[in-house]
Amino acid sequence: MHALAAKADPADSIAADGRGAYGHKIIKLNIGNLAVFGFDSPEEIQQDMIRNLPNSRPAIQTAGFSARKAVMHSTQQQGVGA
């Protein structure tokens, strides 16, 4: 195989009706926070995440973060939402 050959896209085997290459129904799990549907992460995964937090980088948009934090502190001091 040539070094610059394109890799196959796994999505190419999924039909428009959500069925895979062998006719199996494909369930999409890219729906955001699964906890709202009653799915909790196992304790072992939670502990691994906590243990690795110091080595991680945030995957959040930081633009405006300090302003939101200031508003949060101000509303807490005013007792808003308590």
Side-chain angles (χ1 to χ4, degrees):
M1 185 162 99
H2 191 273
L4 297 177
K7 292 184 179 181
D9 185 353
D12 289 343
S13 66
I14 300 174
D17 67 351
R19 298 200 177 273
Y22 298 102
H24 297 287
K25 182 71 177 165
I26 304 296
I27 300 172
K28 294 183 180 181
L29 295 177
N30 57 343
I31 55 175
N33 183 359
L34 294 177
V36 297
F37 300 101
F39 294 101
D40 294 327
S41 58
E43 181 69 24
E44 179 181 2
I45 292 176
Q46 292 177 24
Q47 292 304 317
D48 286 345
M49 291 171 64
I50 291 168
R51 215 175 6 265
N52 286 296
L53 276 174
N55 304 321
S56 66
R57 292 195 174 145
I60 61 170
Q61 190 175 24
T62 58
F65 184 72
S66 58
R68 288 191 295 269
K69 193 171 180 181
V71 170
M72 178 192 69
H73 286 295
S74 175
T75 56
Q76 286 175 340
Q77 289 174 346
Q78 294 173 22
V80 177

PDB file of all heavy atoms in Angstrom, residues 17-36:
ATOM      1  N   ASP A  17     -30.092   5.180   6.882  1.00  0.00           N
ATOM      2  CA  ASP A  17     -31.114   4.842   7.869  1.00  0.00           C
ATOM      3  C   ASP A  17     -30.509   4.420   9.203  1.00  0.00           C
ATOM      4  O   ASP A  17     -31.222   3.971  10.094  1.00  0.00           O
ATOM      5  CB  ASP A  17     -32.042   3.741   7.338  1.00  0.00           C
ATOM      6  CG  ASP A  17     -31.341   2.406   7.152  1.00  0.00           C
ATOM      7  OD1 ASP A  17     -30.102   2.349   7.273  1.00  0.00           O
ATOM      8  OD2 ASP A  17     -32.037   1.416   6.884  1.00  0.00           O
ATOM      9  N   GLY A  18     -29.177   4.559   9.360  1.00  0.00           N
ATOM     10  CA  GLY A  18     -28.534   4.237  10.624  1.00  0.00           C
ATOM     11  C   GLY A  18     -28.189   2.774  10.773  1.00  0.00           C
ATOM     12  O   GLY A  18     -27.999   2.281  11.877  1.00  0.00           O
ATOM     13  N   ARG A  19     -28.092   2.039   9.665  1.00  0.00           N
ATOM     14  CA  ARG A  19     -27.728   0.633   9.727  1.00  0.00           C
ATOM     15  C   ARG A  19     -26.298   0.462   9.238  1.00  0.00           C
ATOM     16  O   ARG A  19     -25.865   1.096   8.295  1.00  0.00           O
ATOM     17  CB  ARG A  19     -28.682  -0.214   8.897  1.00  0.00           C
ATOM     18  CG  ARG A  19     -30.099  -0.115   9.419  1.00  0.00           C
ATOM     19  CD  ARG A  19     -30.957  -1.263   8.958  1.00  0.00           C
ATOM     20  NE  ARG A  19     -32.275  -1.130   9.546  1.00  0.00           N
ATOM     21  CZ  ARG A  19     -32.609  -1.608  10.744  1.00  0.00           C
ATOM     22  NH1 ARG A  19     -31.744  -2.256  11.454  1.00  0.00           N
ATOM     23  NH2 ARG A  19     -33.819  -1.453  11.219  1.00  0.00           N
ATOM     24  N   GLY A  20     -25.545  -0.404   9.915  1.00  0.00           N
ATOM     25  CA  GLY A  20     -24.151  -0.651   9.578  1.00  0.00           C
ATOM     26  C   GLY A  20     -23.999  -1.562   8.381  1.00  0.00           C
ATOM     27  O   GLY A  20     -24.970  -1.963   7.739  1.00  0.00           O
ATOM     28  N   ALA A  21     -22.752  -1.919   8.093  1.00  0.00           N
ATOM     29  CA  ALA A  21     -22.421  -2.728   6.916  1.00  0.00           C
ATOM     30  C   ALA A  21     -23.116  -4.085   6.929  1.00  0.00           C
ATOM     31  O   ALA A  21     -23.408  -4.641   5.888  1.00  0.00           O
ATOM     32  CB  ALA A  21     -20.917  -2.909   6.826  1.00  0.00           C
ATOM     33  N   TYR A  22     -23.402  -4.636   8.085  1.00  0.00           N
ATOM     34  CA  TYR A  22     -24.035  -5.954   8.183  1.00  0.00           C
ATOM     35  C   TYR A  22     -25.520  -5.861   8.522  1.00  0.00           C
ATOM     36  O   TYR A  22     -26.137  -6.832   8.922  1.00  0.00           O
ATOM     37  CB  TYR A  22     -23.314  -6.803   9.235  1.00  0.00           C
ATOM     38  CG  TYR A  22     -21.875  -7.059   8.864  1.00  0.00           C
ATOM     39  CD1 TYR A  22     -20.855  -6.338   9.459  1.00  0.00           C
ATOM     40  CD2 TYR A  22     -21.544  -7.993   7.889  1.00  0.00           C
ATOM     41  CE1 TYR A  22     -19.543  -6.556   9.109  1.00  0.00           C
ATOM     42  CE2 TYR A  22     -20.228  -8.211   7.532  1.00  0.00           C
ATOM     43  CZ  TYR A  22     -19.229  -7.491   8.147  1.00  0.00           C
ATOM     44  OH  TYR A  22     -17.941  -7.708   7.791  1.00  0.00           O
ATOM     45  N   GLY A  23     -26.084  -4.670   8.390  1.00  0.00           N
ATOM     46  CA  GLY A  23     -27.505  -4.487   8.640  1.00  0.00           C
ATOM     47  C   GLY A  23     -27.862  -4.281  10.105  1.00  0.00           C
ATOM     48  O   GLY A  23     -29.031  -4.199  10.450  1.00  0.00           O
ATOM     49  N   HIS A  24     -26.846  -4.203  10.987  1.00  0.00           N
ATOM     50  CA  HIS A  24     -27.111  -3.983  12.405  1.00  0.00           C
ATOM     51  C   HIS A  24     -27.488  -2.526  12.645  1.00  0.00           C
ATOM     52  O   HIS A  24     -26.956  -1.621  12.003  1.00  0.00           O
ATOM     53  CB  HIS A  24     -25.880  -4.319  13.249  1.00  0.00           C
ATOM     54  CG  HIS A  24     -25.479  -5.753  13.155  1.00  0.00           C
ATOM     55  ND1 HIS A  24     -26.193  -6.759  13.766  1.00  0.00           N
ATOM     56  CD2 HIS A  24     -24.450  -6.354  12.520  1.00  0.00           C
ATOM     57  CE1 HIS A  24     -25.614  -7.910  13.515  1.00  0.00           C
ATOM     58  NE2 HIS A  24     -24.550  -7.697  12.743  1.00  0.00           N
ATOM     59  N   LYS A  25     -28.406  -2.308  13.554  1.00  0.00           N
ATOM     60  CA  LYS A  25     -28.817  -0.950  13.906  1.00  0.00           C
ATOM     61  C   LYS A  25     -27.668  -0.256  14.632  1.00  0.00           C
ATOM     62  O   LYS A  25     -27.065  -0.825  15.531  1.00  0.00           O
ATOM     63  CB  LYS A  25     -30.060  -1.005  14.804  1.00  0.00           C
ATOM     64  CG  LYS A  25     -30.593   0.351  15.197  1.00  0.00           C
ATOM     65  CD  LYS A  25     -31.238   1.057  14.031  1.00  0.00           C
ATOM     66  CE  LYS A  25     -31.816   2.372  14.490  1.00  0.00           C
ATOM     67  NZ  LYS A  25     -32.143   3.239  13.401  1.00  0.00           N
ATOM     68  N   ILE A  26     -27.340   0.951  14.228  1.00  0.00           N
ATOM     69  CA  ILE A  26     -26.289   1.749  14.836  1.00  0.00           C
ATOM     70  C   ILE A  26     -26.927   2.739  15.801  1.00  0.00           C
ATOM     71  O   ILE A  26     -27.809   3.504  15.425  1.00  0.00           O
ATOM     72  CB  ILE A  26     -25.476   2.524  13.776  1.00  0.00           C
ATOM     73  CG1 ILE A  26     -24.908   1.571  12.730  1.00  0.00           C
ATOM     74  CG2 ILE A  26     -24.390   3.366  14.425  1.00  0.00           C
ATOM     75  CD1 ILE A  26     -23.912   0.575  13.258  1.00  0.00           C
ATOM     76  N   ILE A  27     -26.498   2.717  17.054  1.00  0.00           N
ATOM     77  CA  ILE A  27     -26.994   3.661  18.055  1.00  0.00           C
ATOM     78  C   ILE A  27     -25.954   4.755  18.221  1.00  0.00           C
ATOM     79  O   ILE A  27     -24.817   4.477  18.587  1.00  0.00           O
ATOM     80  CB  ILE A  27     -27.246   2.968  19.410  1.00  0.00           C
ATOM     81  CG1 ILE A  27     -28.290   1.862  19.244  1.00  0.00           C
ATOM     82  CG2 ILE A  27     -27.684   3.987  20.462  1.00  0.00           C
ATOM     83  CD1 ILE A  27     -28.452   1.013  20.480  1.00  0.00           C
ATOM     84  N   LYS A  28     -26.320   5.969  17.938  1.00  0.00           N
ATOM     85  CA  LYS A  28     -25.394   7.087  18.080  1.00  0.00           C
ATOM     86  C   LYS A  28     -25.319   7.489  19.551  1.00  0.00           C
ATOM     87  O   LYS A  28     -26.346   7.691  20.195  1.00  0.00           O
ATOM     88  CB  LYS A  28     -25.851   8.268  17.240  1.00  0.00           C
ATOM     89  CG  LYS A  28     -25.791   7.997  15.755  1.00  0.00           C
ATOM     90  CD  LYS A  28     -26.182   9.221  14.970  1.00  0.00           C
ATOM     91  CE  LYS A  28     -26.117   8.931  13.489  1.00  0.00           C
ATOM     92  NZ  LYS A  28     -26.463  10.113  12.705  1.00  0.00           N
ATOM     93  N   LEU A  29     -24.102   7.590  20.066  1.00  0.00           N
ATOM     94  CA  LEU A  29     -23.908   7.979  21.458  1.00  0.00           C
ATOM     95  C   LEU A  29     -23.300   9.369  21.588  1.00  0.00           C
ATOM     96  O   LEU A  29     -22.881   9.758  22.659  1.00  0.00           O
ATOM     97  CB  LEU A  29     -23.019   6.952  22.171  1.00  0.00           C
ATOM     98  CG  LEU A  29     -23.618   5.558  22.289  1.00  0.00           C
ATOM     99  CD1 LEU A  29     -22.631   4.612  22.942  1.00  0.00           C
ATOM    100  CD2 LEU A  29     -24.913   5.594  23.084  1.00  0.00           C
ATOM    101  N   ASN A  30     -23.270  10.108  20.515  1.00  0.00           N
ATOM    102  CA  ASN A  30     -22.716  11.456  20.549  1.00  0.00           C
ATOM    103  C   ASN A  30     -23.815  12.473  20.857  1.00  0.00           C
ATOM    104  O   ASN A  30     -24.026  13.421  20.136  1.00  0.00           O
ATOM    105  CB  ASN A  30     -22.020  11.788  19.228  1.00  0.00           C
ATOM    106  CG  ASN A  30     -22.938  11.651  18.038  1.00  0.00           C
ATOM    107  OD1 ASN A  30     -23.988  11.030  18.127  1.00  0.00           O
ATOM    108  ND2 ASN A  30     -22.552  12.236  16.917  1.00  0.00           N
ATOM    109  N   ILE A  31     -24.516  12.250  21.953  1.00  0.00           N
ATOM    110  CA  ILE A  31     -25.666  13.089  22.280  1.00  0.00           C
ATOM    111  C   ILE A  31     -25.395  13.987  23.470  1.00  0.00           C
ATOM    112  O   ILE A  31     -26.309  14.529  24.058  1.00  0.00           O
ATOM    113  CB  ILE A  31     -26.915  12.212  22.531  1.00  0.00           C
ATOM    114  CG1 ILE A  31     -26.640  11.166  23.595  1.00  0.00           C
ATOM    115  CG2 ILE A  31     -27.395  11.586  21.251  1.00  0.00           C
ATOM    116  CD1 ILE A  31     -27.849  10.345  23.974  1.00  0.00           C
ATOM    117  N   GLY A  32     -24.118  14.128  23.844  1.00  0.00           N
ATOM    118  CA  GLY A  32     -23.781  15.016  24.941  1.00  0.00           C
ATOM    119  C   GLY A  32     -23.684  14.291  26.268  1.00  0.00           C
ATOM    120  O   GLY A  32     -23.133  13.210  26.362  1.00  0.00           O
ATOM    121  N   ASN A  33     -24.246  14.876  27.295  1.00  0.00           N
ATOM    122  CA  ASN A  33     -24.144  14.363  28.651  1.00  0.00           C
ATOM    123  C   ASN A  33     -25.106  13.189  28.839  1.00  0.00           C
ATOM    124  O   ASN A  33     -26.312  13.367  28.915  1.00  0.00           O
ATOM    125  CB  ASN A  33     -24.460  15.483  29.643  1.00  0.00           C
ATOM    126  CG  ASN A  33     -24.296  15.051  31.077  1.00  0.00           C
ATOM    127  OD1 ASN A  33     -23.953  13.909  31.355  1.00  0.00           O
ATOM    128  ND2 ASN A  33     -24.546  15.967  31.987  1.00  0.00           N
ATOM    129  N   LEU A  34     -24.550  11.989  28.935  1.00  0.00           N
ATOM    130  CA  LEU A  34     -25.390  10.800  29.073  1.00  0.00           C
ATOM    131  C   LEU A  34     -26.029  10.669  30.454  1.00  0.00           C
ATOM    132  O   LEU A  34     -26.958   9.892  30.635  1.00  0.00           O
ATOM    133  CB  LEU A  34     -24.572   9.551  28.753  1.00  0.00           C
ATOM    134  CG  LEU A  34     -24.116   9.443  27.301  1.00  0.00           C
ATOM    135  CD1 LEU A  34     -23.267   8.211  27.108  1.00  0.00           C
ATOM    136  CD2 LEU A  34     -25.301   9.416  26.368  1.00  0.00           C
ATOM    137  N   ALA A  35     -25.544  11.422  31.430  1.00  0.00           N
ATOM    138  CA  ALA A  35     -26.113  11.350  32.782  1.00  0.00           C
ATOM    139  C   ALA A  35     -27.584  11.748  32.794  1.00  0.00           C
ATOM    140  O   ALA A  35     -28.360  11.220  33.591  1.00  0.00           O
ATOM    141  CB  ALA A  35     -25.314  12.224  33.742  1.00  0.00           C
ATOM    142  N   VAL A  36     -27.978  12.651  31.897  1.00  0.00           N
ATOM    143  CA  VAL A  36     -29.387  13.062  31.860  1.00  0.00           C
ATOM    144  C   VAL A  36     -30.290  11.925  31.405  1.00  0.00           C
ATOM    145  O   VAL A  36     -31.496  11.978  31.595  1.00  0.00           O
ATOM    146  CB  VAL A  36     -29.602  14.306  30.969  1.00  0.00           C
ATOM    147  CG1 VAL A  36     -28.853  15.507  31.516  1.00  0.00           C
ATOM    148  CG2 VAL A  36     -29.221  14.045  29.536  1.00  0.00           C
TER     149      VAL A  36
END
